[in-house]
């Protein structure tokens, strides 16, 4: 059998490379194959060059390069399908997480924020980037690729700014406006003017642009331009501080009154004082425990929680059981107040205890006159800053009652 | 001679069948065997099998082994054990009329 010389082998390898086969493995595969064919078919009367020229066309239809292209295509398609799979799965995951998160949020159940953050993270960091990559493979023009990239970038920005808004994280406002700015002043003009030039896409581009404009406009209308979160925070903090200050002033005044009271009524006042202090210490303990629970044991104090929106489901879970009946530490406070009221009624007179009212309250969110228990009205699905306010109002009412009695 | 489209569609099956029949096999051998087994009714375009061979290699269907022959590097292909048993199972599942 004829054996090719090293020089001939080198010649074939170089020719394969020249014909557009770039992958080294493919080069050596073809080299071996071509050499085998030539060595098997070479007869003494054949010329190497001539035979090589006749063998090579058996490897392709038009040109040798097509083997390289076919290999590349198969490899990219494999990634393409894998990417589509991941895109589909992450899309389905975030759609599910988003739905569950929204339901949890509406129902004030715990876990809502976590679900929403997961959903938005999956959309912005998995779904949208892969969507962009898959779509860019389908379009040919650079301009279209650029617009797709811009669209994906805007989508990510929009998702993240929505997440910041939902979670009330700092910087939400700025991100939100950047997103809307990018949409109105960069993406939309670019999209419109690129698409409108092509007669095939003209109508669709105009329609989509109008839709985007309407959707973006609606979002802009919904945006609260007054930076309301900060204003609300500040107002809540001021009223919180005011109430605390009033309580300490009344309490100080009461101490003075106790000290100046006549000996004959002193023993009665002592009983009143101890009962009052007991209730207030119970309330203080409960609010401290609640703060500790809400801040996930991170020792964040009340002042830091005031003005920050915390899912009211969490405090409700701490103060109420699954059937929304108040837990013992809350009912205990109610019972103590009722006991104090009975005591004051008998010792100081009924007119002194009017502020200690633990009867049912009328619900404001319903048309019919439905009333709910005192505990539910003040503490069930109530935002944490309002719970603090209600506790403080309660303490203030007790202090004023105390003051009325000992005057 | 069968049409080239038909051959393209059945190329994977043909190559897997040849791999399952032999211990190890290299590219040139595959084309020769196909010619031999089909009385030259199926003639694979010599280059057509390489894109395919590059593809399943990544999935762990085929293992390869290279042998240096002078300046040449010959690549032998072998079907992995798991693929071999999977292939046999699917052949068993075929209706009898097809396997005969």
């Amino acid at each position: 059998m004829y054996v090719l010389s090293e020089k001939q082998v080198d010649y074939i390898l170089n020719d394969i490379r020249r014909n557009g086969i770039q992958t080294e493995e493919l080069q050596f595969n073809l080299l071996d194959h071509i050499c085998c064919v030539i060595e098997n078919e070479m007869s003494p009367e054949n010329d190497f060059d001539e035979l090589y020229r006749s063998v090579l066309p058996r490897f392709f239809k038009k040109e040798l390069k097509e083997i390289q292209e076919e290999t590349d295509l198969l490899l990219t398609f494999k990634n393409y399908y894998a990417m589509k799979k991941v895109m589909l799965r992450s899309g389905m995951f975030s759609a599910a997480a988003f739905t569950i998160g929204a339901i949890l949020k509406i129902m004030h159940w715990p876990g809502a924020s976590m679900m929403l953050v997961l959903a938005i993270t999956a959309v912005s960091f998995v779904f949208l980037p892969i969507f962009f990559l898959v779509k860019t493979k389908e379009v040919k023009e650079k301009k279209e690729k650029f617009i797709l990239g811009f669209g994906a970038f805007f989508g990510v920005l929009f998702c993240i700014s929505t997440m910041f808004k939902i979670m009330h994280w700092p910087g939400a406002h700025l991100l939100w406006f950047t997103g809307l700015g990018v949409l109105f002043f960069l993406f939309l003009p670019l999209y419109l003017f690129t698409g409108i030039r092509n007669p095939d896409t003209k109508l669709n581009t105009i329609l989509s642009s109008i839709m985007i404009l309407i959707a973006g406009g609606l979002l802009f209308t919904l945006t609260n331009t007054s930076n309301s979160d900060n204003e609300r925070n500040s107002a809540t903090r001021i009223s919180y501080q005011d109430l605390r200050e009033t309580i300490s002033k009344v309490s100080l005044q009461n101490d003075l009154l106790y000290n100046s009271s006549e000996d004959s009524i002193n023993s009665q006042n002592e009983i009143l004082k101890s009962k009052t202090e007991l209730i207030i210490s119970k309330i203080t303990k409960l609010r401290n425990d609640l703060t500790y629970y809400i801040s996930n044991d991170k020792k964040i104090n009340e002042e830091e929680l005031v003005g920050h929106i915390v899912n009211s489901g969490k405090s409700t879970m701490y103060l109420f059981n699954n059937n929304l009946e108040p837990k013992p530490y809350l009912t205990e406070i109610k019972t103590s107040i009722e006991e104090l009221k009975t005591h004051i009624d008998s010792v100081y007179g009924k007119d002194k205890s009017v502020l200690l009212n633990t009867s049912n309250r009328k619900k404001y969110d319903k048309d019919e006159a439905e009333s709910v228990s005192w505990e539910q009205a003040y503490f069930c699905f109530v935002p944490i800053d309002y719970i603090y306010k209600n506790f403080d109002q309660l303490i203030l009412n007790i202090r004023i009652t105390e003051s009325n009695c000992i005057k | 001679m069968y049409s080239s489209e038909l051959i393209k569609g059945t190329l994977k099956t043909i190559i897997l069948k040849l791999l399952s029949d032999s211990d190890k096999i290299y590219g040139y051998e595959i084309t020769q065997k196909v010619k031999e087994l089909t009385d030259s009714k199926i003639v694979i375009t010599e280059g057509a099998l390489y894109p395919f061979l590059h593809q399943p290699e990544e999935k762990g269907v085929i293992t390869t082994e290279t042998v240096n022959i002078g300046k040449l590097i010959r690549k032998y292909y072998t079907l992995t054990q798991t693929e071999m048993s999977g292939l046999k199972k699917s052949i068993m599942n075929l209706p009898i009329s097809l396997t005969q």
Side-chain angles (χ1 to χ4, degrees), chain A residues 6 9-10 23 25-26 28-33 35-37 39-41 55 57-61 66-67 70-71 74-75 78, chain B residues 4 8 26-29 31-32 35 44-52 54-55 57-59 69-75 77:
Chain A
E6 280 197 10
V9 173
D10 280 339
T23 318
E25 270 186 72
L26 207 54
F28 284 104
N29 267 329
L30 287 173
L31 178 68
D32 181 50
H33 199 136
C35 291
C36 281
V37 176
E39 284 174 0
N40 276 303
E41 294 179 11
V55 165
R58 289 190 221 162
F59 282 77
F60 53 83
K61 288 197 183 80
E66 67 198 40
I67 299 176
E70 177 96 8
T71 311
L74 282 172
L75 287 175
K78 209 188 84 194
Chain B
S4 63
K8 208 172 179 185
Y26 64 98
Y28 174 71
E29 231 182 327
T31 49
Q32 290 309 105
K35 256 186 237 167
I44 302 177
T45 316
E46 308 271 352
L49 69 162
Y50 291 108
F52 169 75
H54 271 258
Q55 194 204 11
E57 218 183 308
E58 312 237 339
K59 287 189 209 156
I69 301 168
K71 276 211 117 180
L72 299 175
I73 300 170
R74 183 161 296 167
K75 205 166 185 178
Y77 299 91

Side-chain angles (χ1 to χ4, degrees), chain A residues 92-370:
Chain A
M92 281 186 334
F93 166 78
S94 40
F98 199 75
T99 315
I100 295 169
I103 292 172
L104 290 178
K105 200 174 164 67
I106 292 169
M107 303 303 285
H108 297 280
W109 286 334
S113 309
M114 196 192 69
M115 272 294 174
L116 290 174
V117 169
L118 269 178
I120 294 175
T121 315
V123 169
S124 4
F125 297 110
V126 185
F127 180 77
L128 280 174
I130 299 181
F131 181 78
F132 162 71
L133 288 175
V134 168
K135 279 280 162 196
T136 41
K137 275 196 197 321
E138 286 170 14
V139 296
K140 283 193 183 92
E141 268 188 67
K142 261 194 179 165
K143 237 188 228 163
E144 285 175 90
K145 283 185 188 190
F146 183 68
I147 287 179
L148 266 174
F150 220 145
F153 171 72
F154 163 71
V156 172
L157 194 69
F158 180 70
C159 286
I160 293 174
S161 66
T162 310
M163 177 162 76
F164 269 64
K165 273 239 158 226
I166 295 174
M167 302 304 292
H168 301 276
W169 284 338
H173 216 62
L174 184 74
L175 263 175
W176 181 262
F177 277 105
T178 316
L180 282 176
V182 169
L183 173 69
F184 285 128
F185 300 111
L186 289 170
F187 178 69
L188 206 56
L190 201 73
Y191 174 74
L192 186 67
F193 291 119
T194 318
I196 215 163
R197 279 186 202 146
N198 185 346
D200 290 340
T201 55
K202 191 175 172 180
L203 185 68
N204 267 337
T205 307
I206 294 174
L207 285 177
S208 318
S209 300
I210 292 173
M211 299 282 257
I212 294 172
L213 200 66
I214 291 172
L218 281 174
L219 280 172
F220 186 72
T221 325
L222 281 175
T223 319
N224 216 333
T225 42
S226 64
N227 204 354
S228 64
D229 274 2
N230 287 345
E231 284 168 9
R232 187 187 174 283
N233 278 358
S234 160
T236 316
R237 272 162 201 270
I238 290 172
S239 81
Y240 173 85
Q241 296 295 352
D242 277 0
L243 203 53
R244 300 245 89 190
E245 222 167 278
T246 316
I247 290 169
S248 60
K249 274 179 190 156
V250 176
S251 163
L252 205 72
Q253 210 175 29
N254 284 357
D255 282 344
L256 291 172
L257 282 171
Y258 275 123
N259 289 336
S260 63
S261 66
E262 290 169 27
D263 286 352
S264 59
I265 49 165
N266 239 352
S267 59
Q268 278 176 355
N269 284 354
E270 281 300 319
I271 297 170
L272 178 72
K273 192 178 180 184
S274 70
K275 277 187 188 291
T276 323
E277 292 306 329
L278 187 67
I279 297 175
I280 289 172
S281 73
K282 273 182 189 168
I283 295 172
T284 312
K285 186 179 181 308
L286 181 57
R287 64 193 284 168
N288 286 342
D289 290 349
L290 181 67
T291 307
Y292 191 69
Y293 176 76
I294 286 184
S295 66
N296 291 329
D297 311 344
K298 278 182 211 137
K299 291 187 181 161
I300 294 173
N301 59 27
E302 255 183 51
E303 279 81 359
E304 284 170 283
L305 275 178
V306 170
H308 281 101
I309 292 137
V310 181
N311 184 359
S312 59
K314 206 166 178 192
S315 46
T316 307
M317 214 163 79
Y318 187 72
L319 298 170
F320 294 83
N321 66 19
N322 289 340
N323 299 324
L324 295 184
E325 287 155 359
K327 284 190 181 169
Y329 28 74
L330 199 55
T331 25
E332 210 180 296
I333 289 172
K334 187 186 180 180
T335 322
S336 309
I337 295 168
E338 279 162 358
E339 274 171 23
L340 181 69
K341 187 180 163 70
T342 325
H343 175 77
I344 292 171
D345 284 353
S346 63
V347 177
Y348 299 93
K350 285 204 168 181
D351 58 318
K352 306 276 191 205
S353 70
V354 282
L355 286 177
L356 302 180
N357 178 7
T358 53
S359 59
N360 287 1
R361 298 291 198 265
K362 190 176 171 287
K363 235 184 161 179
Y364 280 98
D365 62 344
K366 297 237 166 92
D367 287 336
E368 66 261 42
E370 194 195 343

Side-chain angles (χ1 to χ4, degrees), chain A residues 6-98:
Chain A
E6 280 197 10
K7 211 176 150 192
Q8 285 166 327
V9 173
D10 280 339
Y11 171 78
I12 299 172
L13 183 60
N14 285 333
D15 196 50
I16 292 171
R17 282 181 184 148
R18 253 203 314 279
N19 277 300
I21 305 292
Q22 296 145 356
T23 318
E24 199 178 61
E25 270 186 72
L26 207 54
Q27 287 170 0
F28 284 104
N29 267 329
L30 287 173
L31 178 68
D32 181 50
H33 199 136
I34 293 169
C35 291
C36 281
V37 176
I38 293 175
E39 284 174 0
N40 276 303
E41 294 179 11
M42 190 74 143
S43 57
E45 63 269 21
N46 275 129
D47 171 55
F48 166 76
D49 271 341
E50 211 174 286
L51 186 61
Y52 176 64
R53 293 288 149 223
S54 72
V55 165
L56 201 61
R58 289 190 221 162
F59 282 77
F60 53 83
K61 288 197 183 80
K62 283 184 193 131
E63 50 181 347
L64 194 66
K65 220 170 125 186
E66 67 198 40
I67 299 176
Q68 181 69 51
E69 283 167 359
E70 177 96 8
T71 311
D72 291 346
L73 196 72
L74 282 172
L75 287 175
T76 11
F77 261 89
K78 209 188 84 194
N79 290 337
Y80 186 74
Y81 285 121
M83 273 181 356
K84 268 198 165 171
K85 229 184 204 171
V86 176
M87 182 178 85
L88 207 66
R89 285 194 185 156
S90 65
M92 281 186 334
F93 166 78
S94 40
F98 199 75

